[in-house]
Amino acid sequence: MDTTLNYSPNFEVKKRKLNQIKFIIFHYTGMKKESEAIERLTNIRSKVSSHYLIKNNGEIVIMVPDLYEAWHAGVSSWINFKSLNKNSIGIEISNPGHNSSYKKFSKKQIQSIRKLSKFLIKKYKINPKNILGHSDIAPIRKKDPGEKFPWKYLSEFGIGKWHSLSQKTLIKNRRKKISQVDKKKFYQNLSKIGYSIKSSNKIKEDKFFIFIVSAFQRRFRQELINGKIDQECLLISQNLAKKLY
């Protein structure tokens, strides 16, 4: 696998063990210019980094060696894990993001995501269900890699998980209202999948759940992100909860 080096000073000095690496976390850079993103990821004052950067042309840049903890996830949680920097490899993908002119990821980028992910999965025996987006582990703060990230396509290569429902079933149940009992079931499913559904004191509960639902939709129902639970969302959550556990 062809890579280039552009090391970042932003990492924990103490090495971690191979078996500590359990997750891959995808991000987008969220900056208008790729050069600015590289500058930020390698600037000691920014205090952010990732293990890899995938440029617009598909070039894979190593920024922090795998066995060192890069600073990419921040305050985060998934299943029983907190602060996922300790247990993950972070992959930044060059893209302006939602605050600029969020765009589709290029074919060359997707090809490199496939190559790099398959290499890391094999090397560290990473379970496909532990391949996540930044918004999965930090839904209040983050939207990346966003609804244009090709999760469904990547799942066909064992990179992340996807549901097995037909498009016809999905569309049929889209925007259909659900009961309060079904809402509880939906959140139970989210918890089984791995999402942290405990509301923070810093944010009102109803707003918190809108963020959680939107994060789930960005990942698994990318055509409509509205923060509202409907029959389609419930069916997807049930399907995933059964497949994953």
Side-chain angles (χ1 to χ4, degrees):
M1 189 174 62
D2 293 331
T3 58
T4 57
L5 301 177
N6 191 350
Y7 285 136
S8 171
N10 304 327
F11 62 91
E12 298 298 327
V13 178
K14 188 181 176 182
K15 261 189 178 181
R16 54 187 177 177
K17 294 174 183 176
L18 261 72
N19 63 4
Q20 282 182 269
I21 299 171
K22 297 183 184 299
F23 298 89
I24 294 173
I25 310 296
F26 290 114
H27 309 254
Y28 60 47
T29 53
M31 300 187 80
K32 287 180 182 179
K33 292 183 181 178
E34 187 172 85
S35 57
E36 289 173 357
I38 293 168
E39 161 63 24
R40 186 165 185 264
L41 290 165
T42 55
N43 189 324
I44 197 166
R45 291 188 298 276
S46 73
K47 296 184 180 179
V48 294
S49 60
S50 63
H51 294 93
Y52 299 91
L53 167 72
I54 297 176
K55 294 169 77 173
N56 287 315
N57 64 4
E59 186 182 330
I60 300 169
V61 182
I62 297 173
M63 294 193 149
V64 176
D66 294 352
L67 291 184
Y68 292 92
E69 186 182 318
W71 301 339
H72 63 97
V75 178
S76 50
S77 60
W78 189 259
I79 317 171
N80 298 320
F81 290 84
K82 305 284 181 189
S83 301
L84 270 79
N85 280 341
K86 296 191 289 281
N87 301 100
S88 64
I89 287 176
I91 301 174
E92 288 272 1
I93 305 146
S94 184
N95 190 302
H98 289 86
N99 292 334
S100 296
S101 50
Y102 183 43
K103 61 183 182 181
K104 283 186 176 181
F105 297 88
S106 72
K107 287 182 180 178
K108 286 182 178 179
Q109 283 180 321
I110 294 165
Q111 193 175 21
S112 294
I113 290 165
R114 266 182 60 190
K115 278 185 191 173
L116 177 57
S117 299
K118 289 180 88 171
F119 168 78
L120 293 170
I121 289 165
K122 188 176 180 182
K123 187 173 182 180
Y124 299 110
K125 299 180 175 64
I126 295 171
N127 191 314
K129 70 183 181 183
N130 289 340
I131 298 172
L132 308 166
H134 201 184
S135 60
D136 293 320
I137 61 171
I140 296 170
R141 299 185 301 112
K142 297 294 178 180
K143 294 179 180 178
D144 59 316
E147 62 275 11
K148 292 180 181 178
F149 191 75
W151 284 113
K152 183 181 179 182
Y153 170 78
L154 292 171
S155 72
E156 294 167 14
F157 301 91
I159 302 163
K161 288 289 188 180
W162 194 256
H163 59 79
S164 55
L165 298 163
S166 71
Q167 190 68 10
K168 188 179 177 181
T169 300
L170 296 175
I171 292 168
K172 186 182 170 184
N173 289 281
R174 189 167 296 170
R175 297 185 190 273
K176 281 191 177 179
K177 290 183 179 180
I178 62 170
S179 66
Q180 288 300 317
V181 173
D182 281 341
K183 278 187 181 180
K184 283 185 181 179
K185 285 180 184 175
F186 173 78
Y187 289 122
Q188 286 169 358
N189 292 334
L190 255 59
S191 184
K192 284 179 186 176
I193 292 163
Y195 288 94
S196 177
I197 59 166
K198 287 184 180 177
S199 177
S200 163
N201 293 331
K202 295 176 184 177
I203 188 168
K204 287 182 180 179
E205 195 175 67
D206 55 347
K207 199 172 181 183
F208 170 79
F209 284 121
I210 289 170
F211 281 119
I212 294 285
V213 174
S214 297
F216 173 82
Q217 290 170 340
R218 273 195 184 90
R219 176 71 189 270
F220 298 110
R221 205 271 295 274
Q222 297 178 320
E223 298 93 338
L224 178 63
I225 296 108
N226 59 5
K228 296 175 183 178
I229 310 163
D230 56 20
Q231 287 285 353
E232 182 185 18
C233 292
L234 178 64
L235 286 173
I236 293 169
S237 71
Q238 286 174 340
N239 186 276
L240 289 165
K242 283 176 185 175
K243 282 180 80 172
L244 298 178
Y245 297 97

